[in-house]
Amino acid sequence: MSQSLEGGCACGAVRYRLSTAPMFVHCCHCLDCQRQTGSAFVLNALIEADRVELLAGEPTPVRLPTDSGQPHDAYRCPQCQTALWSTYGGRTATRFVRVGTLDDPSALRPDVHIYTSSKVAWVTLPADVPAFAEYYETRTLWPPASLERRKALFAS
């Protein structure tokens, strides 16, 4: 990533900037993501919360039900209700930024497809991106620099 990525909600009240590239990008095909986005999957850029700079507005957390029972807070624009990012399991130091809210959503490609056991039948997965029926082992798939960033998050 040669420059920072910016994004925001549909109405423009909330704007943000990613100060660095994300650690990893998930394309999640789970039923929760399908239900909560109204789409076949969601693209989430995993990044440290302190690397997401708010430029305008303040998103509001909305607690969503999950099949796992773990907390899932989607941060939405208080005006238009666009979901900008989520936190999972109460881990607020990591944000799962919705790639579709970037000004240029094509700037980030998925590094992995997860929960493909519940993907819709008409979605064809690319052969050059790892795919897993459920989840995967982070240590075997993430690049070393991203693993170091993740380790630093859990150490703090």
Side-chain angles (χ1 to χ4, degrees):
M1 189 174 94
S2 59
Q3 59 186 4
S4 63
L5 295 173
E6 292 188 8
C9 65
C11 74
V14 178
R15 297 282 305 157
Y16 68 86
R17 174 183 301 127
L18 304 183
S19 63
T20 65
M23 293 180 285
F24 213 64
V25 179
H26 285 168
C27 183
C28 185
H29 299 267
C30 79
L31 295 176
D32 276 345
C33 285
Q34 289 178 34
R35 192 170 30 254
Q36 292 165 6
T37 63
S39 184
F41 53 82
V42 67
L43 286 176
N44 285 316
L46 285 67
I47 190 168
E48 300 89 329
D50 63 2
R51 297 181 187 207
V52 180
E53 177 187 354
L54 275 174
L55 303 175
E58 183 72 40
T60 304
V62 175
R63 179 71 41 104
L64 299 171
T66 62
D67 290 338
S68 70
Q70 294 294 315
H72 173 192
D73 293 325
Y75 288 76
R76 297 179 175 275
C77 169
Q79 293 181 41
C80 69
Q81 296 299 304
T82 299
L84 299 156
W85 58 76
S86 287
T87 60
Y88 292 93
R91 294 183 188 109
T92 59
T94 306
R95 292 192 178 157
F96 288 62
V97 175
R98 301 292 190 277
V99 173
T101 66
L102 292 171
D103 294 342
D104 179 11
S106 67
L108 297 177
R109 293 190 46 174
D111 294 307
V112 67
H113 289 266
I114 57 175
Y115 296 100
T116 60
S117 61
S118 53
K119 79 169 187 64
V120 296
W122 49 262
V123 169
T124 303
L125 301 178
D128 64 337
V129 178
F132 296 87
E134 300 302 321
Y135 205 71
Y136 61 94
E137 179 60 45
T138 304
R139 289 177 294 219
T140 63
L141 204 57
W142 283 33
S146 293
L147 287 171
E148 285 300 315
R149 288 168 59 185
R150 182 177 182 267
K151 182 179 175 183
L153 275 176
F154 288 121
S156 58

